[in-house]
Amino acid sequence: MTKTAWVFPGQGSQALGMGMDLLDIPAAKDKFAQAEEILGWSVTEICQSEEEKLSHTLYTQPSLYVVESILADLLRERGHWPDLVAGHSLGEYTALYIAGVFEWSAGLYLVKRRAELMDSAIGGMMAALMNFDHEQLEKVIAQTPDVVVANDNSSAQVVISGKTEAVQAVISQVKAKRAIPLKVSGAFHSHLIAAAATEFQDILESVEFQTATIPVLSNVEPIPSIDGDILKQRLNKQMTGSVRWREISLQFPANGIQRVVEIGPGKVLTGLIKRSSPCLMLENIHSVADLPI
């Protein structure tokens, strides 16, 4: 048997029209209805026609969780199961749901509150750097207060986060092929949203985490675990901690994984994994048409 990992993308992978083909499936339609009760707004309406809202943190995160989890459930219904799961930032919540750590509705409640708190954490900025000088970046960040590496995505891509002037100072000093400011409301995955993270900690404590049925690679500590308490502790650090995706990518072959399936819109994660672990078979499931028969 080919050892397989499932991975779930985070904010930035959303796409208008995602999940619309799921409306023909009764079980998926029920999930969308449940989501509307929990959220107070319709995921399908946002994904169908409201592009501006879909790119807004408040709506992006719950929409991705709902669409990704439905696709993954359909994959399980067809007899497919992963040996390991991971998700990028928001995607870690889908991974934990698939691993049986919490119920679907509990996961959506957490994502809803996370999105609300992150959306309210205004100030600062994030920027992606492509093909940059590693030593130079480390040196400049060490010398610049209030900026951190928020996402260590691959050897060729990182995202930095912090106070606007600090992020701009790093961009101006580090040689990179491209530097792209991200369309987010705040300095996510940095100490600047510590107040939101502290408030979220109480919300997280209210949800019981079970022992995972599948090992999970967490963003802040990419070592497989099934311990519910450990997974909760790791998730608790995630909002202000760095997403260590490059290390997660390296963990797949180290744990005997031969195939990685990205479930959700876009091909961001498989693209990043290919850079770090080119030996892996990579697949993408964006829609019902991509599901194996």
Side-chain angles (χ1 to χ4, degrees):
M1 282 286 285
T2 303
K3 283 193 79 175
T4 300
W6 289 0
V7 297
F8 302 93
Q11 197 164 340
S13 289
Q14 69 274 7
L16 197 66
M18 69 178 189
M20 290 304 97
D21 57 337
L22 298 169
L23 289 169
D24 296 330
I25 299 166
K29 206 170 180 180
D30 288 346
K31 273 283 193 338
F32 282 122
Q34 285 177 49
E36 189 167 353
E37 284 180 26
I38 293 166
L39 298 168
W41 49 269
S42 169
V43 170
T44 52
E45 281 180 21
I46 298 287
C47 290
Q48 200 161 22
S49 57
E50 301 194 42
E51 191 166 12
E52 193 174 327
K53 273 192 174 179
L54 184 58
S55 64
H56 189 157
T57 298
L58 199 63
Y59 301 101
T60 311
Q61 296 187 12
S63 297
L64 282 169
Y65 174 83
V66 171
V67 171
E68 290 172 4
S69 59
I70 291 172
L71 282 170
D73 279 340
L74 289 171
L75 199 51
R76 293 196 294 186
E77 280 176 23
R78 298 180 185 208
H80 300 270
W81 294 82
D83 299 287
L84 193 62
V85 290
H88 192 287
S89 192
L90 175 277
E92 187 170 325
Y93 288 78
T94 317
L96 290 166
Y97 159 66
I98 291 300
V101 173
F102 44 63
E103 295 292 326
W104 183 81
S105 56
L108 183 55
Y109 166 70
L110 287 175
V111 169
K112 174 181 183 284
R113 294 295 291 121
R114 179 186 193 263
E116 289 167 351
L117 288 166
M118 289 178 75
D119 188 60
S120 68
I122 297 166
M125 68 176 288
M126 300 178 77
L129 299 182
M130 323 284 192
N131 297 319
F132 53 92
D133 184 317
H134 283 262
E135 283 184 23
Q136 193 183 32
L137 178 66
E138 283 179 23
K139 187 179 175 182
V140 172
I141 281 187
Q143 295 170 348
T144 311
D146 294 321
V147 63
V148 297
V149 173
N151 302 349
D152 177 11
N153 285 331
S154 76
S155 58
Q157 187 197 113
V158 297
V159 172
I160 58 173
S161 178
K163 288 186 176 177
T164 303
E165 58 274 21
V167 171
Q168 288 171 342
V170 172
I171 290 171
S172 69
Q173 293 175 68
V174 175
K175 289 178 184 174
K177 187 176 180 182
R178 281 194 296 166
I180 306 166
L182 302 186
K183 293 178 182 177
V184 292
S185 61
F188 303 158
H189 296 291
S190 83
H191 59 285
L192 295 182
I193 63 163
T198 300
E199 194 172 338
F200 187 65
Q201 188 173 348
D202 294 334
I203 296 159
L204 202 55
E205 281 308 312
S206 70
V207 175
E208 188 179 350
F209 277 42
Q210 306 291 337
T211 301
T213 55
I214 304 156
V216 181
L217 285 168
S218 300
N219 286 191
V220 299
E221 200 171 334
I223 299 163
S225 180
I226 60 167
D227 187 300
D229 291 335
I230 288 172
L231 293 170
K232 182 182 274 193
Q233 286 166 18
R234 291 176 177 177
L235 195 64
N236 191 32
K237 297 173 186 173
Q238 196 226 58
M239 201 183 282
T240 55
S242 178
V243 176
R244 294 160 61 181
W245 193 259
R246 179 181 55 83
E247 292 172 73
I248 286 174
S249 300
L250 294 169
Q251 279 291 319
F252 293 133
N255 283 274
I257 296 296
Q258 300 154 289
R259 175 173 163 263
V260 178
V261 182
E262 181 175 2
I263 301 170
K267 295 184 177 182
V268 171
L269 299 186
T270 44
L272 294 173
I273 292 164
K274 190 175 184 178
R275 280 192 170 273
S276 299
S277 297
C279 57
L280 297 170
M281 291 181 279
L282 302 171
E283 295 175 24
N284 294 83
I285 293 178
H286 310 295
S287 62
V288 174
D290 299 321
L291 291 168
I293 297 167

